[in-house]
Amino acid sequence: MSDALIVARGLEKRFCPVRALRGLDLEVRAGATLADIGPNGAGKSTLLRLISGLARPSGGTLRVGRDGGDRRSRRGRVGLIAHASFLYPALTARENLILAGRLHGIANPALRANQLLEEQELTAVAERRTGGFSRGMSQRLSIARGLVHDPEIILFDEPFSNLDDAGVCQVLEQMITLHQQGHTLIVATHDLEKVIFHANRLIIINSGQVVADGPVPEILPKVGHYGVRLPCAIQQGKAVTSWLKH
């Protein structure tokens, strides 16, 4: 058995008549920070939904965790943080986290909620209903909810969508911290320039398949060929190797 934490072989997902994933192969080792990029409709978000257990594959095999397990057990290993917050707007920030903790069966959801509110600097708004939160506050609370069960694998699906510069910095700082703590991260994004310095591996998904996979300096020159917008520094003709020295 492979020692990879996530293994996909011939992975298929169909939304009749659309084939969102077409025989996708992928391995992700523990502790990796993987940037998952590709054009609209390539299958990036679909892959994350399968890994998280929110959707079932139509074909192929998918193992999440070294010992595998069913979709139910997978949800205990994986945290999903998306551009949509999935918060309950009528509940307060604290209530949203307590509910998430109960759903995951953690021992003391109220204590865990307090810890996460402090970490995300949301204690001052803990008793406010989330329906009135700004985009940045909602995203920070969404991150807290995704971490409530301390998952080994954390998936970010377009996490920078509609965030201002301060919000983007907060998300990137959270990613750095999680990587340093040993979590495995997969970031599906169009905003390549926001994650390029933090990812240690880059994959390009196009038409439901992984068409390029490797270290960032090796894959970066190929992204334009697959319909992904290159960061301005490369468009202006700077060498990839010098641009990566940050």
Side-chain angles (χ1 to χ4, degrees), residues 20-97:
L21 297 182
R22 301 167 178 254
L24 182 143
D25 294 323
L26 180 67
E27 290 193 10
V28 183
R29 296 185 179 277
T33 296
L34 173 67
D36 167 12
I37 67 170
N40 287 333
K44 304 185 300 297
S45 295
T46 299
L47 174 61
L48 296 195
R49 288 180 62 82
L50 296 183
I51 293 173
S52 69
L54 291 179
R56 289 186 174 91
S58 303
T61 61
L62 175 63
R63 174 170 62 80
V64 179
R66 292 181 180 84
D67 57 350
D70 58 15
R71 288 173 64 215
R72 186 181 182 87
S73 65
R74 189 182 310 165
R75 291 174 185 174
R77 296 187 175 103
V78 179
L80 175 63
I81 298 159
H83 55 89
S85 70
F86 300 117
L87 300 172
Y88 291 93
L91 299 183
T92 68
R94 190 188 309 279
E95 289 168 342
N96 267 280
L97 294 182

Side-chain angles (χ1 to χ4, degrees), residues 21 30-31 33 52 113 129 161 169 205 207 210 212 231 233 238:
L21 297 182
T33 296
S52 69
R129 292 183 179 180
S161 178
C169 287
I205 296 181
S207 299
V210 175
K238 295 183 180 180

Side-chain angles (χ1 to χ4, degrees), residues 22-243:
R22 301 167 178 254
L24 182 143
D25 294 323
L26 180 67
E27 290 193 10
V28 183
R29 296 185 179 277
T33 296
L34 173 67
D36 167 12
I37 67 170
N40 287 333
K44 304 185 300 297
S45 295
T46 299
L47 174 61
L48 296 195
R49 288 180 62 82
L50 296 183
I51 293 173
S52 69
L54 291 179
R56 289 186 174 91
S58 303
T61 61
L62 175 63
R63 174 170 62 80
V64 179
R66 292 181 180 84
D67 57 350
D70 58 15
R71 288 173 64 215
R72 186 181 182 87
S73 65
R74 189 182 310 165
R75 291 174 185 174
R77 296 187 175 103
V78 179
L80 175 63
I81 298 159
H83 55 89
S85 70
F86 300 117
L87 300 172
Y88 291 93
L91 299 183
T92 68
R94 190 188 309 279
E95 289 168 342
N96 267 280
L97 294 182
I98 290 173
L99 175 60
R102 287 174 177 166
L103 291 173
H104 280 287
I106 66 174
N108 193 332
L111 177 61
R112 181 61 173 155
N114 290 340
Q115 292 171 339
L116 290 166
L117 287 166
E118 183 174 355
E119 288 176 8
Q120 297 297 325
E121 300 180 355
L122 291 170
T123 303
V125 295
E127 308 308 328
R128 283 177 50 184
R129 292 183 179 180
T130 60
F133 275 18
S134 68
R135 168 62 180 149
M137 290 166 59
S138 294
Q139 186 69 326
R140 282 152 60 194
L141 186 60
S142 180
I143 290 173
R145 192 206 53 202
L147 301 178
V148 72
H149 54 305
D150 193 24
E152 184 177 12
I153 301 164
I154 304 169
L155 312 176
F156 290 86
D157 188 6
E158 298 293 351
F160 311 110
S161 178
N162 298 321
L163 288 178
D164 60 16
D165 289 345
V168 169
C169 287
Q170 288 171 343
V171 173
L172 288 173
E173 288 171 0
Q174 183 75 71
M175 289 179 181
I176 293 169
T177 299
L178 292 169
H179 173 73
Q180 291 172 341
Q181 292 172 347
H183 294 276
T184 301
L185 311 182
I186 302 179
V187 186
T189 182
H190 291 94
D191 297 312
L192 177 58
E193 63 271 28
K194 292 185 174 68
V195 297
I196 201 69
F197 297 115
H198 310 294
N200 49 31
R201 182 176 163 202
L202 179 62
I203 66 170
I204 301 173
I205 296 181
N206 199 6
S207 299
Q209 297 178 315
V210 175
V211 294
D213 180 358
V216 173
E218 175 185 321
I219 303 302
L220 193 59
K222 304 176 183 179
V223 300
H225 178 69
Y226 296 105
V228 179
R229 182 177 61 84
L230 289 168
C232 293
I234 296 181
Q235 290 178 3
Q236 293 167 358
K238 295 183 180 180
V240 171
T241 52
S242 65
W243 184 75

Side-chain angles (χ1 to χ4, degrees), residues 9-28:
R9 292 283 182 263
L11 198 61
E12 298 267 348
K13 183 60 181 178
R14 303 181 191 90
F15 302 97
C16 274
V18 176
R19 292 177 67 196
L21 297 182
R22 301 167 178 254
L24 182 143
D25 294 323
L26 180 67
E27 290 193 10
V28 183

